[in-house]
Amino acid sequence: MISDERYMRRALELAEFGRGKVSPNPMVGCVIVLEDKVIGEGYHQEYGNAHAEVNAINSVKNPDLLTDSTVYVTLEPCAHYGKTPPCAKLLVEKKVKKVIIAAFDTNPLVGGKGIQILKDAGIEVETGVLEKEARIQNKRFFTQIEKKRPYVILKWAQTQDGFVAREDYSSKWITNASSRRLVHKWRAEEDAIMVGKNTAKYDDPALNVRDWVGKNPLRLVIDSRLELPNTLKLFDEAVPTLCYNTQKSEVIGTLEFVKLNPEFRVNEILEDLYKRNIQSVIIEGGSYLLNKFLESELWDEARVFTSSNKFGSGIAAPIPPAPVSETIEILEDTLRIYHHV
């Protein structure tokens, strides 16, 4: 059991290399072991390309060794034809001896079918090794499948005395450069990023990845009555952008206007994002929008930076209705992470 966990931890480490590159697929890692020695490794590197099991099998120098090998994989092997052939059938074809799986795939297209294919072929199957860790790693994937909405991350920066902006909505910069660089790393790891009208108007954010290497997330802005000027960076068509409003539906280049019902409800936006196969979204403000998600209880995680700065007065920061899960010091800033249970 100890060695099983050791090899599965290595598979989880490998899976991490796919973060920000494989959505809406899950991150998956795979390790192939023969006589307590690793003979192959692989992970899902990019959406649409080979899965972890394929890459791990291809890395084995002598394919004849596979028939006596144990395969460790962080998620149940797929059983359907999608962008690639089913991995469960590949493992059967290679006649591996045993497959150890961390987490059951709750996607209805798989949902135990991969395990059944393996068992029907006489392959020994074991499940649940580091299952909790595997589900946490793929919490975005499981949230999308099981809750039928994206994984929602709330993010804001506040002063030591609890304000996200001054009374005139100015706020640059509350946090230090290291904290801002971390935020850009987060952006590269998620599918989409959202702001409300006031944040778009007063901060004029680009919502892209400038201080990190990675893909730009889909940009989302809420402008119910279409009052924002088209000179804002959000409307520069440099990055695909959705503008949620109550006036019209229209597509202009990479900018899409999405008409909503007159009464603003965050769940309607999440339903639209789910239909678009968006697996995760960061809500970066402002305070009104963040509170809407908190009040609706449609959030999974909150990441709150508190700086040493003080405003004295201004726009009050939201209050997360959950205990702190983790505290990280970033120079003079403090990052607190909350999870919605």
Side-chain angles (χ1 to χ4, degrees), residues 4-191:
D4 285 346
E5 289 191 359
R6 182 172 80 247
Y7 293 128
M8 192 62 79
R9 286 194 192 281
R10 175 56 183 164
L12 289 167
E13 288 175 1
L14 290 167
E16 271 302 311
F17 289 116
R19 186 173 295 281
K21 301 169 187 173
V22 301
S23 178
N25 282 352
M27 296 175 282
V28 181
C30 181
V31 173
I32 303 175
V33 177
L34 176 65
E35 296 176 354
D36 213 27
K37 180 181 178 182
V38 174
I39 62 170
E41 291 186 336
Y43 66 96
H44 186 25
Q45 299 176 11
E46 187 176 9
Y47 176 69
N49 289 348
H51 289 186
E53 298 93 326
V54 176
N55 289 327
I57 286 170
N58 288 341
S59 75
V60 177
K61 293 181 179 179
N62 183 358
D64 293 338
L65 299 177
L66 288 168
T67 56
D68 293 315
S69 298
T70 297
V71 176
Y72 294 81
V73 62
T74 58
L75 189 68
E76 177 183 358
C78 62
H80 65 288
Y81 286 87
K83 294 280 185 180
T84 60
C87 293
K89 291 188 177 181
L90 176 64
L91 294 172
V92 170
E93 178 188 321
K94 298 300 180 181
K95 299 179 181 178
V96 301
K97 182 178 181 181
K98 184 176 181 179
V99 178
I100 297 180
I101 299 164
F104 179 82
D105 189 341
T106 54
N107 183 341
L109 291 173
V110 183
K113 296 173 185 174
I115 292 173
Q116 195 60 50
I117 287 172
L118 297 174
K119 287 183 175 180
D120 288 346
I123 295 173
E124 185 181 352
V125 178
E126 183 179 339
T127 60
V129 176
L130 300 185
E131 180 180 11
K132 180 181 178 181
E133 289 86 343
R135 282 188 60 87
I136 290 173
Q137 183 178 63
N138 273 311
K139 55 192 175 185
R140 294 156 183 79
F141 172 76
F142 286 114
T143 296
Q144 184 190 42
I145 294 294
E146 296 167 10
K147 296 185 178 180
K148 295 189 173 5
R149 64 165 175 81
Y151 187 85
V152 176
I153 300 168
L154 308 181
K155 172 263 164 184
W156 70 88
Q158 62 187 35
T159 59
Q160 195 177 62
D161 51 355
F163 300 103
V164 294
R166 294 183 175 87
E167 290 168 345
D168 63 356
Y169 288 94
S170 63
S171 61
K172 296 181 179 179
W173 291 102
I174 289 178
T175 55
N176 62 48
S178 295
S179 295
R180 297 197 296 273
R181 191 175 304 114
L182 177 58
V183 170
H184 282 244
K185 176 180 181 292
W186 292 344
R187 289 178 180 180
E189 295 172 349
E190 309 304 337
D191 286 354

Side-chain angles (χ1 to χ4, degrees), residues 154-156 283-294 318:
L154 308 181
K155 172 263 164 184
W156 70 88
I283 315 299
E284 284 209 7
S287 188
Y288 174 81
L289 182 60
L290 290 163
N291 277 316
K292 276 287 186 181
F293 277 90
L294 289 169

